[in-house]
């Protein structure tokens, strides 16, 4: 369990769209709540290009090569074999969480959590998950190991990401969206989401509001 070491450094590399922003926030918040080690969250600009890049890999290697380091990609990384190989050669651990497909022969040589790149058919097909849904599942397992159970409060971000990425309306995705909207439209609405709603004069948020108003605003941050 790498993350138990309090002297470790964890770097989360997210995507710049709505799904990636939500993914990064959930991953950072859950790991930070465990309070074990240094955690840094990187949101790139669109001008940096999509996914983990060599410049950020060099930054980590040059500044933390003598530390115990874990790099986690959220909503990206599955096509970044060269970048990840460079990190691995520097003895830096990498965990890729993604939901985009890649050619099997070109997959990075590291631990990968991606329902679209399974080695074999499984009883449950999770390919309907967005990138935020994938890291949500990982964090859910992580919390379970520490006897914590606060994932429900992160469903507003998962609902926004799921709708923004236009993911299939599977039973579980419908549940995520409904739970998220229920929290948003209650007195427990996250302050950031409430601020966007106030700017747009939205008193009761719907899925259409997310698709046509909130998601484009969040995507514009990139």
């Amino acid at each position: 369990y790498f993350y138990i070491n309090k002297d470790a450094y964890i770097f989360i590399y997210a995507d710049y769209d709505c799904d990636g922003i939500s993914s990064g926030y959930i991953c950072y918040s859950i790991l930070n709540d465990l309070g074990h080690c240094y955690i840094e969250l990187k949101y790139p600009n669109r001008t940096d290009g999509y996914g983990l890049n060599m410049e950020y890999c060099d930054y980590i290697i040059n500044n933390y090569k003598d530390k115990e380091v874990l790099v986690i990609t959220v909503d990206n990384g599955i096509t970044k074999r060269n970048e990840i190989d460079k990190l691995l050669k520097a003895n830096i651990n990498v965990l890729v969480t993604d939901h985009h497909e890649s050619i099997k022969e070109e997959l990075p040589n590291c631990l990968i959590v991606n329902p679209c790149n399974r080695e074999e058919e499984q009883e449950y097909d999770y390919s309907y998950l967005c990138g935020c849904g994938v890291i949500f599942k990982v964090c859910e397992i992580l919390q379970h190991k520490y006897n914590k159970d606060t994932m429900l409060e992160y469903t507003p971000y998962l609902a926004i990401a799921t709708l923004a990425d236009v993911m299939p309306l599977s039973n579980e995705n419908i549940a995520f969206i409904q739970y998220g909207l229920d929290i948003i439209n209650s007195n427990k609405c996250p302050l950031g989401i409430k601020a966007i709603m106030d700017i747009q004069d939205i008193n009761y948020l719907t899925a259409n509001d997310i698709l046509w108003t909130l998601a484009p605003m969040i995507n514009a941050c990139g």
Side-chain angles (χ1 to χ4, degrees), residues 150-221:
T150 64
M151 293 308 300
L152 184 63
E153 67 186 65
Y154 294 97
T155 53
Y157 311 101
L158 178 52
I160 292 172
T162 299
L163 287 165
D165 251 32
V166 196
M167 300 308 296
L169 291 179
S170 64
N171 288 338
E172 189 169 28
N173 277 345
I174 291 173
F176 286 148
I177 293 167
Q178 189 59 63
Y179 277 122
L181 286 172
D182 286 347
I183 293 175
I184 290 171
N185 291 312
S186 72
N187 58 6
K188 297 181 180 179
C189 181
L191 292 178
I193 297 175
K194 183 65 167 60
I196 299 176
M197 291 172 60
D198 289 343
I199 290 171
Q200 296 296 321
D201 293 323
I202 298 173
N203 295 318
Y204 188 90
L205 194 73
T206 67
N208 279 337
D209 292 325
I210 292 175
L211 283 167
W212 302 108
T213 303
L214 263 72
M217 292 177 69
I218 297 171
N219 277 330
C221 293

Side-chain angles (χ1 to χ4, degrees), residues 15 22 44 72 89 104 108 124 145 155 163 184 187 198 211:
D15 189 18
S22 301
I72 303 174
K89 288 177 181 177
K104 181 179 179 181
Y124 298 105
K145 291 182 180 295
T155 53
L163 287 165
I184 290 171
N187 58 6
D198 289 343
L211 283 167

